[in-house]
Amino acid sequence: MIEKSQSLPQVAVVGLGKIGLTLAAVFANNGYKVFGADKNKQVVDRVNQGKSHITNEPGLNQFVQDAHQNNTLIATDSNVEAVSKANIVVVIVPVLVNEDNEIDYQYIDAAVQDIGAGLQEGTLVIFETTLPPGDTQNRFGKKIEEVSGLTMGEQFYLAYSPERVYSNRIIKDLQHYPKVVGGINKKSVGLASDFYKQALNCKLIQVSSLETAEFSKVAECVYRDVNIALANELAKFAEEKNIRMSEVITASNSQPFSHLHSPGIGVGGHCIPIYPYFFVNKGLDQGLTPLSREINDSMASYAISKIEKRIGSLENKKVLILGLSYREDVKEPTKSTTLLLLEQLRHKQANIFVNDPHFTEGEIINHGGLPLSLDDKLIEEVDVLILQAFHEEYKEINFKDFTKCKLILDGRNKLNEEEISRLGIIYESIGN
Ligand SMILES: NC(=O)c1ccc[n+]([C@@H]2O[C@H](COP(=O)([O-])OP(=O)(O)OC[C@H]3O[C@@H](n4cnc5c(N)ncnc54)[C@H](O)[C@@H]3O)[C@@H](O)[C@H]2O)c1
């Protein structure tokens, strides 16, 4: 049973994942008593030992440890209990899409049911999870009203403030990015703004409605996806014309209105490949938004076709993919391009290996890959290398050790082309 604090303002953070735990730990070091709730008992136990279950987020372990020592962060597996102790509830439980790209609300719906059950009159509820516009009020606010019997905007307050941070620098981003805040009414926006000013010490951008705040976060993701798709389209065209896209980008972006992004083998992660569907599934189903998803998801097969053009069929060839994570230096396999590569290389009947220093062998196997250490003798047998995520560790790779390697596909345009070519290995990339 967690005790209610007598002196500090109390916050419940529902969902103690990568983002939720970081928020909880930061709030708990900035003058709040935080009750963190998560359905995962292991997460709760770890936090209650003063330890972070997220291992590669700079500064987080220390924040959790300090908050634990000061008794300002307590975790529970009961959302109802945490919410019942709080004046402010922050919700950061994910909304995902399923295999057919339909919106999957199962986790957050369950959390919202609990929030309704535990809510006390006068509490401010803030959603930070990326949501399809309209959901804070129409789906979740209404559900909380139904379960709690309290009226939104009057007996409880409702705000939305999207989480915009980037993994590996969440604590920094929380301070440096302005917090966009929308509310169901003025009182809700005012309460949420006061909270963030103290809890995060960041700048605020107040917008006129919940929907505007929700829309702004999805729009950020669509912007990135569309611009990466444009870079990919231009990179493919540049290849046809025998022009180096990297040179084009440097030249074009010297003009202040040009912000060409980098082309690459694909877009992965929690955000960019998922949130455009929050618009697509709610009516924006024509035009650049869905097209960009298609273009970016086609880059893995484009890369494979480039390899086949140079060295022929991949049947029985040994292909090593570097990086299971969707991007460099994080342990995040969600929607990683490696998953697309694995699927397509299986169709080609290649022998596929995966290396990623952030994952155990068991984890790589669970994601459908055959693990291969870079110290293993078998790397001498590898026919093709595909760089998917350019982890720090890969900066030191000695390609001389890949004695039979015929081709390296540099999916992130990061490797040294000259060095690779000097070894007699074909260098391929996206756009160069
Ligand atoms: N990861 C990122 O880089 C990132 C960046 C910006 C914004 N976001 C936003 O943050 C959200 C959360 O992301 P994350 O990376 O922290 O996710 P995560 O998968 O690391 O954590 C989610 C947590 O929610 C818990 N959970 C699931 N159902 C629950 C329930 N009913 N009640 C309580 N807890 C429950 C899970 O056990 C898990 O610990 C995302 O959906 C996104 O909207 C994430």
Side-chain angles (χ1 to χ4, degrees):
M1 197 55 186
I2 51 182
E3 293 300 315
K4 193 163 176 164
S5 163
Q6 298 308 315
S7 49
L8 298 175
Q10 285 132 205
V11 183
V13 174
V14 179
L16 291 179
K18 185 177 267 262
I19 309 294
L21 179 60
T22 314
L23 285 171
V26 170
F27 299 157
N29 281 280
N30 277 342
Y32 291 85
K33 175 96 178 184
V34 179
F35 303 110
D38 200 288
K39 285 293 167 201
N40 183 336
K41 187 89 175 61
Q42 283 171 337
V43 166
V44 168
D45 290 346
R46 224 171 142 69
V47 174
N48 284 335
Q49 288 158 11
K51 291 178 190 150
S52 165
H53 65 100
I54 307 290
T55 49
N56 57 347
E57 199 51 56
L60 180 57
N61 229 346
Q62 191 63 50
F63 270 61
V64 173
Q65 201 179 315
D66 292 349
H68 176 70
Q69 267 164 16
N70 297 329
N71 200 29
T72 53
L73 175 58
I74 293 163
T76 168
D77 62 0
S78 165
N79 292 332
V80 177
E81 189 182 12
V83 169
S84 69
K85 301 275 187 288
N87 319 107
I88 299 168
V89 176
V90 172
V91 189
I92 186 78
V93 172
V95 173
L96 304 169
V97 292
N98 65 18
E99 278 180 3
D100 298 324
N101 295 318
E102 293 156 349
I103 302 169
D104 176 359
Y105 289 106
Q106 60 174 311
Y107 301 109
I108 199 162
D109 276 349
V112 166
Q113 181 80 30
D114 293 342
I115 291 165
L119 198 75
Q120 302 299 303
E121 188 163 350
T123 301
L124 166 67
V125 183
I126 310 173
F127 284 81
E128 290 213 16
T129 302
T130 308
L131 295 176
D135 276 358
T136 302
Q137 180 170 348
N138 301 329
R139 188 179 185 97
F140 304 129
K142 279 192 183 148
K143 179 51 94 179
I144 295 171
E145 275 192 330
E146 187 190 307
V147 179
S148 68
L150 300 170
T151 310
M152 63 178 138
E154 291 170 23
Q155 291 170 301
F156 72 96
Y157 302 100
L158 189 62
Y160 180 78
S161 182
E163 197 43 76
R164 309 159 72 200
V165 292
Y166 199 60
S167 285
N168 266 12
R169 49 167 218 230
I170 300 177
I171 292 174
K172 247 194 221 160
D173 286 351
L174 283 173
Q175 266 192 336
H176 292 132
Y177 289 176
K179 204 88 177 85
V180 175
V181 184
I184 193 169
N185 54 18
K186 264 196 177 157
K187 173 100 183 186
S188 300
V189 178
L191 287 172
S193 302
D194 291 346
F195 167 60
Y196 286 122
K197 260 186 248 162
Q198 183 181 330
L200 296 178
N201 190 23
C202 61
K203 290 205 177 104
L204 297 172
I205 297 180
Q206 292 182 342
V207 293
S208 58
S209 67
L210 288 167
E211 287 82 352
T212 309
E214 292 166 327
F215 199 110
S216 71
K217 166 71 193 201
V218 182
E220 275 176 32
C221 293
V222 170
Y223 173 89
R224 295 272 297 149
D225 206 33
V226 168
N227 279 284
I228 295 168
L230 173 65
N232 284 335
E233 184 172 287
L234 293 178
K236 289 198 266 181
F237 191 51
E239 282 177 3
E240 269 176 51
K241 300 287 170 198
N242 233 347
I243 286 169
R244 279 179 178 271
M245 191 60 196
S246 54
E247 263 192 275
V248 170
I249 292 173
T250 309
S252 297
N253 286 356
S254 64
Q255 207 278 355
F257 296 114
S258 179
H259 303 285
L260 287 177
H261 285 34
S262 300
I265 194 165
V267 174
H270 277 273
C271 295
I272 302 177
I274 294 178
Y275 301 137
Y277 292 108
F278 289 6
F279 281 171
V280 172
N281 293 351
K282 301 278 175 174
L284 191 61
D285 54 2
Q286 301 286 316
L288 289 177
T289 305
L291 182 61
S292 301
R293 278 287 68 245
E294 262 176 54
I295 292 174
N296 290 336
D297 276 351
S298 71
M299 293 309 288
S301 60
Y302 177 72
I304 291 171
S305 68
K306 283 190 78 164
I307 300 171
E308 286 176 319
K309 258 187 213 152
R310 297 297 294 267
I311 64 160
S313 163
L314 287 170
E315 194 176 336
N316 292 327
K317 294 268 183 347
K318 292 190 178 66
V319 180
L320 172 60
I321 304 171
L322 297 175
L324 169 58
S325 286
Y326 82 95
R327 72 161 167 90
E328 75 287 352
D329 301 329
V330 294
K331 185 182 180 177
E332 283 188 26
T334 309
K335 294 261 175 195
S336 168
T337 300
T338 289
L339 305 177
L340 293 176
L341 289 168
L342 282 169
E343 191 187 315
Q344 289 167 31
L345 287 167
R346 250 181 246 125
H347 281 296
K348 305 279 178 192
Q349 296 180 319
N351 297 319
I352 324 155
F353 300 90
V354 176
N355 176 275
D356 194 311
H358 293 271
F359 291 83
T360 63
E361 292 198 344
E363 287 168 334
I364 290 176
I365 292 167
N366 286 342
H367 284 93
L370 208 56
L372 182 63
S373 157
L374 296 182
D375 299 323
D376 195 310
K377 269 278 250 177
L378 197 65
I379 65 166
E380 290 175 6
E381 305 290 322
V382 166
D383 298 293
V384 176
L385 255 176
I386 301 178
L387 176 74
Q388 194 285 123
F390 191 45
H391 292 312
E392 188 64 32
E393 291 82 350
Y394 297 152
K395 291 182 182 163
E396 305 302 325
I397 291 187
N398 191 347
F399 294 108
K400 263 192 203 153
D401 298 339
F402 293 84
T403 45
K404 294 205 184 120
C405 185
K406 296 171 188 62
L407 184 146
I408 294 178
L409 187 293
D410 179 1
R412 301 293 169 195
N413 295 314
K414 294 287 184 195
L415 301 178
N416 187 329
E417 177 178 354
E418 259 180 51
E419 183 196 323
I420 290 168
S421 305
R422 235 184 287 125
L423 293 170
I425 301 173
I426 301 169
Y427 174 88
E428 272 291 351
S429 69
I430 308 291
N432 290 315

